[in-house]
Amino acid sequence: AQTVTQSQPEMSVQEAETVTLSCTYDTSESDYYLFWYKQPPSRQMILVIRQEAYKQQNATENRFSVNFQKAAKSFSLKISDSQLGDAAMYFCAYRSTAWAGSYQLTFGKGTKLSVIP
Amino acid sequence: GAGVSQSPSNKVTEKGKDVELRCDPISGHTALYWYRQSLGQGLEFLIYFQGNSAPDKSGLPSDRFSAERTGGSVSTLTIQRTQQEDSAVYLCASSSWLFGAQETQYFGPGTRLLVL
């Protein structure tokens, strides 16, 4: 079974600065998807960014980018020019491409990000 | 277009009562997932629907939990004889298929269940 580990339960960043959230995972599969979801106090899980394991290029979405190191099984999220609205819980998630009855997501425990004005 | 919606937003119930939680997926999304988010266990998969059938029920924690989906759209998660450990946020997600591959899951705002 796959596992996802987020080793930073809480982090903080000054507004306009850059912060990196860490995620490692364990799998024996060669093809899979990785995601970062954001969950603000409203509870709505919002997709931040997605990475396909077969792609060598790191995914980027505006101020959000990832550092995907497949051999190291590492998938960190970098948030540039942090804004107050970035304050939320961030979850790293893994999804297999192999059919096992479903394509359920396996989540890490989350990192709570605070943004300091 | 409209996102995934869930109702009720919050539910308080007494131990031993039955509850029903509803999920309305994004129109056209045939895949639907239920997850549970609790303080102790984090985010856990409960059940997966493809259309009206549930090929993966492996995450349901006990036979008190059941779910159905009708018309390939709305899904209802039912918890019978609720226990205090059922208190959690129940999240629903839906996704579509593209060229034989399942796409990204999009989540609803969840239902917070409190069992007294």
Side-chain angles (χ1 to χ4, degrees):
Chain A
Q2 296 82 20
T3 58
V4 178
T5 302
Q6 293 179 250
S7 58
Q8 306 150 316
E10 295 188 29
M11 290 195 72
S12 62
V13 61
Q14 291 285 143
E15 197 175 1
E17 296 295 307
T18 295
V19 65
T20 299
L21 308 184
S22 300
C23 172
T24 58
Y25 57 95
D26 188 25
T27 184
S28 58
E29 299 176 334
S30 60
D31 197 15
Y32 45 87
Y33 294 97
L34 295 165
F35 304 85
W36 280 99
Y37 281 92
K38 166 186 175 181
Q39 187 180 42
S42 67
R43 293 199 311 254
Q44 180 85 49
M45 292 277 278
I46 302 164
L47 177 69
V48 175
I49 203 163
R50 154 182 158 152
Q51 175 80 44
E52 290 90 343
Y54 66 87
K55 290 186 177 178
Q56 293 185 339
Q57 187 172 7
N58 289 323
T60 299
E61 286 288 341
N62 301 313
R63 298 183 294 108
F64 299 88
S65 62
V66 297
N67 183 5
F68 173 48
Q69 301 289 328
K70 191 173 183 179
K73 296 179 183 174
S74 171
F75 182 61
S76 61
L77 175 69
K78 186 172 85 169
I79 306 173
S80 304
D81 185 25
S82 296
Q83 300 176 359
L84 295 177
D86 295 334
M89 282 291 288
Y90 285 81
F91 291 94
C92 179
Y94 173 102
R95 204 209 88 179
S96 175
T97 58
W99 179 251
S102 72
Y103 289 120
Q104 60 179 276
L105 293 169
T106 300
F107 289 90
K109 295 290 188 186
T111 296
K112 183 177 181 180
L113 178 67
S114 301
V115 180
I116 304 164
Chain B
V4 179
S5 60
Q6 293 186 245
S7 61
S9 179
N10 296 281
K11 176 73 176 178
V12 181
T13 190
E14 294 178 351
K15 178 181 171 181
K17 301 273 185 164
D18 297 352
V19 294
E20 285 190 350
L21 312 180
R22 176 189 167 108
C23 172
D24 240 305
I26 293 171
S27 178
H29 281 196
T30 59
L32 186 148
Y33 292 81
W34 283 97
Y35 294 87
R36 180 169 70 174
Q37 184 176 23
S38 57
L39 281 175
Q41 302 298 321
L43 275 150
E44 307 170 280
F45 164 76
L46 295 178
I47 187 170
Y48 163 65
F49 285 92
Q50 178 53 44
N52 291 336
S53 62
D56 191 352
K57 305 178 184 179
S58 62
L60 294 178
S62 76
D63 58 8
R64 296 186 296 104
F65 288 72
S66 63
E68 65 174 12
R69 189 177 185 194
T70 55
S73 180
V74 171
S75 176
T76 302
L77 177 69
T78 301
I79 309 173
Q80 295 179 310
R81 304 181 303 282
T82 52
Q83 304 294 311
Q84 288 180 332
E85 60 262 30
D86 299 335
S87 297
V89 175
Y90 290 82
L91 293 166
C92 176
S94 71
S95 67
S96 60
W97 291 81
L98 185 66
F99 305 122
Q102 200 174 95
E103 289 292 286
T104 298
Q105 293 177 32
Y106 293 92
F107 284 79
T111 294
R112 183 182 297 278
L113 175 66
L114 178 61
V115 182
L116 301 177

